Amino acid sequence: STSGVSGIPELMTVAEQGSSTGIYDINADLGTLAAANYDFNYERGTFTIRPATLQVQIDSIEKIYGDANPALTYSISGYKNSEDLGTSGVEGELQLTVPASETTGVGNYPVTVSENTLTALNYEFNIINGNLKIGKATLEVTAEDKSRLYGDENPSFTFSVSGFKNEEELSDSVMRGQPAYATIANALSNVGPYDVVPSLGGLTSDNYTFTFKNGNLDVQKAPLTITAVDKTRNYGETNPSFEIEYNGFK
């Protein structure tokens, strides 16, 4: 305010919104600058365009225990100037890996980069790891068919299992405990078929959940033994009345 300098210079650069990364001159001309006692010398400044950041999101995925791993994929976002993958100058790709296979147990596993060849003149990359979630496979627990005679107590019920993965079979290392069973049949129930309904009971497994399928209890007729009662008579007499005895009632 005391120098007598008035006005402002005009500053300019060739860099525009779509200009690539790099260093550009900032030039000036006199503009409206004026001063009675001063001349003006101009020194160029520099204008630096740094790379923008693209977000590389490794996709999170899910599968069921025993299945093959799904494809590992990723997406890129954050392009500038209405660019996309085809127009942004991004080249290369990510190779992805996950520490899981068909035999890997239920849980969460990181999907990460094993090799990165991504390059771009105007961008740098922020890579965000993904996750593979392995869920429990399903076993079908079926109550095995049983039979008994009318009037007897129900037999001990048993089960079979299908749906194992990785050539596994029924063992304590794969599933533990026993299912519960329910049936309306008891010793007084009439002859006929009755559902045997299995349920979870004490079944547990690290890598499996369970569905259940009814079995059948066939109550069959009990045998009755019919015995003619021994009789005697004297010679020449008429036969006595014959009688029978039943053995085996329930």
Side-chain angles (χ1 to χ4, degrees):
S1 60
T2 62
S3 65
V5 175
S6 63
I8 57 174
E10 182 179 353
L11 303 176
M12 63 200 74
T13 181
V14 298
E16 301 174 338
Q17 181 175 352
S19 296
S20 295
T21 57
I23 297 175
Y24 297 82
D25 288 337
I26 302 174
N27 298 306
D29 65 17
L30 189 62
T32 59
L33 278 178
N37 298 319
Y38 293 95
D39 288 326
F40 299 99
N41 295 318
Y42 300 101
E43 293 185 3
R44 293 176 179 176
T46 58
F47 176 51
T48 303
I49 300 179
R50 299 190 302 270
T53 300
L54 291 176
Q55 301 297 325
V56 182
Q57 176 66 64
I58 299 175
D59 297 327
S60 291
I61 50 180
E62 297 184 4
K63 73 163 189 166
I64 298 300
Y65 169 72
D67 290 352
N69 289 343
L72 305 180
T73 57
Y74 61 91
S75 60
I76 302 177
S77 63
Y79 296 106
K80 302 296 185 178
N81 303 318
S82 300
E83 294 176 342
D84 56 28
L85 182 59
T87 61
S88 63
V90 173
E91 297 180 348
E93 62 181 3
L94 299 181
Q95 298 294 327
L96 305 178
T97 186
V98 61
S101 66
E102 290 92 336
T103 59
T104 304
V106 168
N108 291 285
Y109 301 87
V111 183
T112 57
V113 176
S114 60
E115 183 179 355
N116 180 2
T117 60
L118 286 175
T119 61
L121 174 63
N122 295 321
Y123 295 98
E124 58 188 10
F125 304 95
N126 179 39
I127 299 174
I128 305 169
N129 290 340
N131 179 71
L132 169 63
K133 180 180 180 181
I134 301 178
K136 290 187 175 184
T138 299
L139 293 176
E140 183 175 73
V141 177
T142 301
E144 295 181 319
D145 293 340
K146 299 288 183 177
S147 64
R148 66 166 174 85
L149 298 178
Y150 168 75
D152 289 352
E153 296 296 327
N154 289 337
S156 297
F157 295 117
T158 55
F159 67 96
S160 62
V161 185
S162 62
F164 288 111
K165 302 287 187 176
N166 303 316
E167 299 182 353
E168 293 175 338
E169 57 187 21
L170 183 60
S171 69
D172 286 344
S173 63
V174 175
M175 56 181 289
R176 299 170 292 278
Q178 296 288 322
Y181 303 94
T183 181
I184 63 173
N186 56 41
L188 299 178
S189 298
N190 291 325
V191 168
Y194 296 86
D195 285 337
V196 179
V197 182
S199 59
L200 185 63
L203 286 178
T204 61
S205 175
D206 296 332
N207 295 320
Y208 294 97
T209 187
F210 305 97
T211 61
F212 298 92
K213 183 178 179 181
N214 293 351
N216 180 71
L217 173 63
D218 184 21
V219 179
Q220 302 172 347
K221 289 185 177 182
L224 281 179
T225 300
I226 301 174
T227 304
V229 178
D230 293 339
K231 296 287 184 177
T232 62
R233 68 170 175 82
N234 293 327
Y235 173 74
E237 294 179 354
T238 59
N239 289 339
S241 298
F242 294 114
E243 300 174 351
I244 58 174
E245 293 180 343
Y246 295 91
N247 184 39
F249 282 114
K250 300 292 185 176

